[in-house]
Amino acid sequence: MTLQVENLTIYYRTLRGDVHALESTSFCMRDREIMGLAGESGCGKTTLGTSLVLLKPPMKLMGGRVILCDEELPIDDMEKMNPFRFKKISIIPQYAMNAMNPTRKIGKMTAELLRSRGVDYKATLPVLKERLELVKLPEKVLDMYPMEMSGGMKQRMVMVISTLLNPLLLIADEITSALDVASQKAVAEMLVEFRDRNLCNSAIVITHDISILYEISDSIMIMYAGQLAEKAATDDIIHAARHPYTKLLLATLPEVGVKYTEKQLTGIPGNPPLLLNPPVGCRFRERCPLAFEKCLDVPPFIEIEKNHYVACWKECGTNA
Amino acid sequence: MLKLDGISKVYSIGAFGGKQLRAVNDVSFDIGDREIVSLIGESGSGKSTIGKMILRLISISSGSIFFDGVDISNYKGAALKEYYRNVQGVFQDPFSSYNPIFKADRIFTFIKEEFFPQVSPLEWNKKLNNSLEVVGLNPEHVLNKYPHQLSGGQLQRFLIARALLLDIKFLVADEIISMLDASTRIDVLNLLADLRKRGLSVLFITHDLSLAHYISDRAVILYRGSVVERGSAEKIFNNPQHPYTQMLISAVPRLDRKWDKVEVDLNEKKLPELVTGCPYYARCPFAQKICMTKPVLIETESDHFVACTRYNKLSG
C-alpha cells in the first residue's frame, strides 16, 4: 500500500470563519496505481493534492494523518517535510507550466532547483537528457527560455522536472486542462509511461475531465464539497456508478456521436454549497434527487463491493 | 446570413515590422439562418481572430464579410452601431468580462443607455426580466449582485441575456463553455441550441470536438489560419477526410472507447517554404512532394469539402 490517508481534515482560516474544504477524508492507494480525482470546481480536489505536499497558511490541518510507504508524513511541519518533497512525493501544481521563471533558461532553472534539494546537476544531467528523450523534447530546450516553448512542450518539461528524483507519489493537478486535444493526449499518455517505467511509483491525477481519466487511470475518486463521494476502479465508475452525484456528473458528458437534436443532455441543477457554513449531513443532499431523512447524518464512506467505496445512505441500505 | 469571403489577417512582426505573420489565410465559409456552425482548431489556429474580425474588433487585412448580403468590413460610426444591434459576441472568461467593483447588472444599463434611451424604465425592466428568464435565470436571484456573488455559469448567461436584449440575429460564441464546470456547461450549451428557435444563428468557436458535434449543424476545421475541412458536422465527424481532422478526432478522450495506440506527432519538421504549400505539410504522415503546392477545397461528397492533395488526385 503506497499511500494511506486517514481522517484528513483541512480547513482554510479566513476572517469570516473556517472554510471546511476537506472533511475527514480517508482512502488508500495501491502500489503502482494511477488514481484520478474528479469533481466540480471548489470540491476540494486541489486542497487534497496540495495538502499532501505543501500545507501552508491559510490552510490548517485539523486532524488526520498521511502514511506514505509505512512512513508517516509530517505534513503539518513545513521544515520537516523538506526531505520528502521532490524525492518521495512530488507535485505538478495547477498552471505550473506558466510558473517557470521567465528570466532563466530551462537548464539553469533545473540546476537551481536541484541544488536546493542538495543534488548535483552535472551528475543528474545524463538522467535528465534521457528523460527529455522520453517525452520527445530535444536536448536544446535546456538552452531555451520558457517563452520559446509551446504549452505542450512546457507541460512536458514540468513533468520531467517533477519526476527527476523518482518520487514515490506524483500529484498532477490539472496538467491537461489548458492544452488542445492533441497535446492533451500526448501528455496524458506520457504520465502512464512514467509509471510504467517506474519513474514514479504511483500518481494522483486531479482533473475535472472524467473522459481523460477513463483513458489513463486505474481508479477514479469522486469528490463533492469537501467530502468523498465514491472511489472504484475506472470501469466500475464509468459503467456502474453507485453514488447519485457520480451518475449525474457522468450524464453531463457529451459523447462523440450524440447530437443535441437526438438526445439532450442535462446539467445538474443547483450549485455546490458554500463551505464556510457547510450543510449538515450529506453535502449533496440539496441537489440529490434521492435525498431522504437519513441524509441529515453524514453517510460513511464504506466498501460496498470489493474496492468500490461509496458514501451514500441509499447504497448502504441495499447492502445491509 | 453571414458570409466570409476570402478573409485574411496579416500581422507585421519583428522589431521594424519587417516580417509578416498570416494568422488567418483566405478563409471563406457562410452561416445560414438559424444555423449553428462550429469553428474548430487548436490554440493559435486563428479561430478567435476570425470571431473578432466578424465582430469588427480587429481590422480585416483582405477579403470581405457580408451580413445579409451587405459588406460590413468597412463599417464605421452609426452603421457599425446598427450592425452591433444584430451581431454580438460572448467570450471565454466570464469572470474578466465584468468590472469587479460594480454590480454585474451594470452591463444591462449600458445597453439601455446606448441602444434604447427612449424606452421607459418599467418597460425596460419587463424586457430585462424576460430576457433573463429566457437564459434560465431567476431575475430576483441574480440582479443587484456583484460579479463575485454569481457563479461562472450565471455570469456567462448574463452575457448571453445582454446580447438577447438587442434582439440580435447572430452570436459569436468564443469558447464560452471552456471555463465552466461540466455540470453547468451543458446547460449553457442547451441554451445556445434553444436560442436557434428564436431565429438566432451562432458561430461556436471551440477546441472541443465532442461538444461541437453535440451542438452544431455544420463545422469548419481550421489549421494554421487555413480551412482544411468544412461541411456538415455529421459527415465530418463520421467520415473525417483530412489527416489533421482524423488525428483530432482520434485524440478526443471518450467514454465509449480507449485511445488507439497511434502516436501523436508533436514535433514539427521545420520547412522554409511553408507559406506556399499545404499548412499541415510539416506534421502530415501522408505528405508528398505534391503537397508543396497549396491544396484547394474540393467537394468530396455533398456538403463536405476537404483541402488535401490526396483528394485532388481522386477527383481529377
Side-chain angles (χ1 to χ4, degrees):
Chain A
M1 203 170 290
T2 319
L3 179 77
Q4 201 178 344
V5 174
E6 287 170 12
N7 288 321
L8 187 65
T9 304
I10 308 270
Y11 288 178
Y12 284 96
R13 285 265 140 106
T14 70
L15 290 174
R16 289 196 290 165
D18 289 349
V19 175
H20 300 223
L22 203 61
E23 203 84 71
S24 34
T25 307
S26 305
F27 66 95
C28 50
M29 276 175 71
R30 278 180 294 113
D31 205 28
R32 303 185 60 74
E33 177 174 341
I34 293 185
M35 183 180 83
L37 185 55
E40 283 172 273
S41 357
C43 72
K45 336 185 262 296
T46 300
T47 306
L48 175 57
T50 316
S51 67
L52 299 182
V53 183
L54 188 68
L55 193 105
K56 58 171 189 203
M59 260 192 220
K60 184 155 172 30
L61 181 72
M62 303 302 286
R65 54 192 203 134
V66 179
I67 296 159
L68 183 69
C69 287
D70 306 323
E71 211 174 346
E72 187 169 343
L73 291 179
I75 56 168
D76 204 18
D77 193 323
M78 288 293 277
E79 295 278 308
K80 280 192 193 151
M81 264 305 278
N82 267 338
F84 292 93
R85 293 191 188 117
F86 213 9
K87 290 175 183 162
K88 295 262 169 74
I89 180 166
S90 191
I91 187 168
I92 307 176
Q94 210 167 355
Y95 311 121
M97 61 177 194
N98 298 327
M100 287 200 267
N101 190 339
T103 65
R104 291 275 191 284
K105 285 180 178 164
I106 304 288
K108 191 170 180 201
M109 189 187 73
T110 316
E112 283 171 358
L113 272 171
L114 286 171
R115 203 179 318 130
S116 76
R117 299 286 124 196
V119 181
D120 186 36
Y121 177 62
K122 285 261 161 54
T124 326
L125 204 57
V127 184
L128 181 59
K129 286 180 177 166
E130 200 180 295
R131 300 280 165 89
L132 285 177
E133 204 177 311
L134 184 68
V135 298
K136 300 195 180 68
L137 283 174
E139 237 171 73
K140 67 167 194 274
V141 291
L142 295 178
D143 283 321
M144 283 161 82
Y145 289 99
M147 61 164 278
E148 295 176 84
M149 302 160 78
S150 71
M153 286 168 82
K154 278 193 270 190
Q155 196 61 273
R156 282 179 277 159
M157 191 63 226
V158 168
M159 284 174 65
V160 168
I161 295 174
S162 306
T163 53
L164 206 51
L165 300 180
N166 300 347
L168 288 167
L169 177 69
L170 177 70
I171 299 165
D173 194 352
E174 300 276 13
I175 54 167
T176 58
S177 306
L179 306 173
D180 49 66
V181 282
S183 321
Q184 205 174 51
K185 181 179 174 191
V187 166
E189 284 179 340
M190 270 160 205
L191 192 77
V192 179
E193 190 162 346
F194 273 37
R195 196 271 316 263
D196 292 346
R197 289 180 183 238
N198 226 349
L199 305 187
C200 58
N201 184 293
S202 47
I204 299 179
V205 183
I206 302 175
T207 179
H208 60 266
D209 190 347
I210 297 181
S211 42
I212 279 276
L213 294 179
Y214 178 65
E215 306 286 354
I216 62 166
S217 67
D218 303 315
S219 64
I220 297 180
M221 187 158 85
I222 308 281
M223 287 186 73
Y224 183 78
Q227 291 173 333
L228 298 182
E230 187 161 8
K231 177 179 190 259
T234 302
D235 281 326
D236 290 340
I237 289 278
I238 304 292
H239 301 296
R242 304 288 286 267
H243 197 281
Y245 177 62
T246 317
K247 288 179 192 166
L248 286 170
L249 200 60
L250 287 169
T252 64
L253 294 177
E255 299 160 36
V256 171
V258 173
K259 280 197 84 82
Y260 170 77
T261 41
E262 290 155 12
K263 180 184 163 197
Q264 196 166 345
L265 300 165
T266 47
I268 308 176
N271 290 308
L274 293 177
L275 298 181
L276 203 56
N277 286 308
V280 288
C282 173
R283 289 181 183 174
F284 188 56
R285 184 164 41 96
E286 277 172 33
R287 292 168 85 186
C288 183
L290 307 174
F292 63 124
E293 316 85 62
K294 191 127 193 226
C295 299
L296 284 167
D297 297 327
V298 178
F301 191 62
I302 52 163
E303 191 166 14
I304 53 159
E305 273 168 41
K306 196 174 174 344
N307 290 328
H308 195 146
Y309 298 83
V310 177
C312 182
W313 286 117
K314 285 278 180 194
E315 291 303 327
C316 302
T318 57
N319 215 34
Chain B
M1 166 164 288
L2 193 90
K3 187 171 186 300
L4 309 186
D5 190 9
I7 57 164
S8 301
K9 179 72 197 174
V10 182
Y11 287 107
S12 299
I13 52 169
F16 298 100
K19 285 187 207 157
Q20 287 200 324
L21 176 81
R22 277 189 170 261
V24 174
N25 191 2
D26 195 19
V27 169
S28 308
F29 61 91
D30 50 27
I31 297 157
D33 286 341
R34 301 175 181 226
E35 202 171 49
I36 298 184
V37 175
S38 291
L39 190 57
I40 302 160
E42 57 190 10
S43 22
S45 61
K47 49 190 196 309
S48 288
T49 311
I50 292 181
K52 284 180 187 157
M53 282 198 283
I54 293 174
L55 290 169
R56 290 293 314 279
L57 296 174
I58 50 179
S59 65
I60 303 160
S61 300
S62 66
S64 353
I65 297 177
F66 296 94
F67 180 73
D68 280 342
V70 188
D71 185 358
I72 56 101
S73 36
N74 290 309
Y75 269 6
K76 279 193 189 76
L80 188 60
K81 189 171 168 184
E82 201 51 43
Y83 175 59
Y84 284 141
R85 270 185 198 271
N86 293 315
V87 179
Q88 284 286 326
V90 178
F91 299 96
Q92 178 169 14
D93 185 354
F95 302 98
S96 60
S97 299
Y98 292 86
N99 187 335
I101 59 172
F102 292 106
K103 285 181 176 157
D105 46 29
R106 198 169 77 126
I107 58 167
F108 301 123
T109 323
F110 285 148
I111 293 284
K112 173 163 167 38
E113 283 167 7
E114 275 298 315
F115 290 96
F116 302 99
Q118 72 290 4
V119 175
S120 75
L122 201 71
E123 214 174 307
W124 176 255
N125 274 342
K126 227 164 96 188
K127 195 173 158 70
L128 179 59
N129 288 351
N130 182 20
S131 174
L132 285 172
E133 271 156 26
V134 168
V135 298
L137 290 174
N138 185 340
E140 277 173 39
H141 292 173
V142 292
L143 288 178
N144 236 345
K145 291 226 165 113
Y146 287 95
H148 68 264
Q149 294 172 302
L150 299 166
S151 73
Q154 284 173 324
L155 290 173
Q156 202 64 289
R157 273 183 264 193
F158 250 50
L159 291 169
I160 298 173
R162 169 186 169 280
L164 292 181
L165 277 173
L166 290 164
D167 294 319
I168 53 161
K169 295 189 186 131
F170 188 82
L171 183 72
V172 176
D174 190 350
E175 299 268 18
I176 57 167
I177 44 175
S178 54
M179 301 265 298
L180 303 180
D181 265 316
S183 62
T184 40
R185 71 162 48 158
I186 276 304
D187 291 332
V188 174
L189 209 57
N190 286 340
L191 164 67
L192 216 56
D194 287 337
L195 290 178
R196 182 162 38 177
K197 294 187 196 116
R198 293 168 53 106
L200 200 71
S201 311
V202 181
L203 179 68
F204 183 67
I205 302 176
T206 183
H207 63 263
D208 189 327
L209 283 100
S210 44
L211 293 178
H213 180 241
Y214 173 65
I215 193 170
S216 59
D217 308 307
R218 285 164 70 219
V220 177
I221 315 275
L222 212 60
Y223 183 74
R224 289 199 162 191
S226 299
V227 176
V228 293
E229 188 160 356
R230 72 177 158 89
S232 120
E234 196 77 29
K235 284 174 184 160
I236 289 184
F237 286 98
N238 294 331
N239 180 20
Q241 298 190 323
H242 196 280
Y244 176 63
T245 321
Q246 288 168 352
M247 187 277 289
L248 273 185
I249 289 181
S250 72
V252 175
R254 293 163 63 158
L255 290 182
D256 55 341
R257 62 154 175 72
K258 301 261 181 179
W259 275 328
D260 302 334
K261 279 285 158 212
V262 184
E263 287 272 318
V264 178
D265 191 5
L266 294 164
N267 296 330
E268 302 206 350
K269 302 161 229 162
K270 287 276 179 237
L271 284 165
E273 284 304 312
L274 266 180
V275 192
T276 56
C278 171
Y280 194 54
Y281 183 83
R283 278 166 74 178
C284 185
F286 308 107
Q288 299 163 350
K289 258 218 176 88
I290 190 174
C291 299
M292 296 299 277
T293 52
K294 193 173 165 61
V296 287
L297 280 169
I298 301 261
E299 189 162 15
T300 56
E301 54 184 324
S302 71
D303 199 22
H304 190 170
F305 297 81
V306 183
C308 181
T309 42
R310 293 194 299 156
Y311 295 96
N312 283 13
K313 250 189 305 185
L314 294 179
S315 61

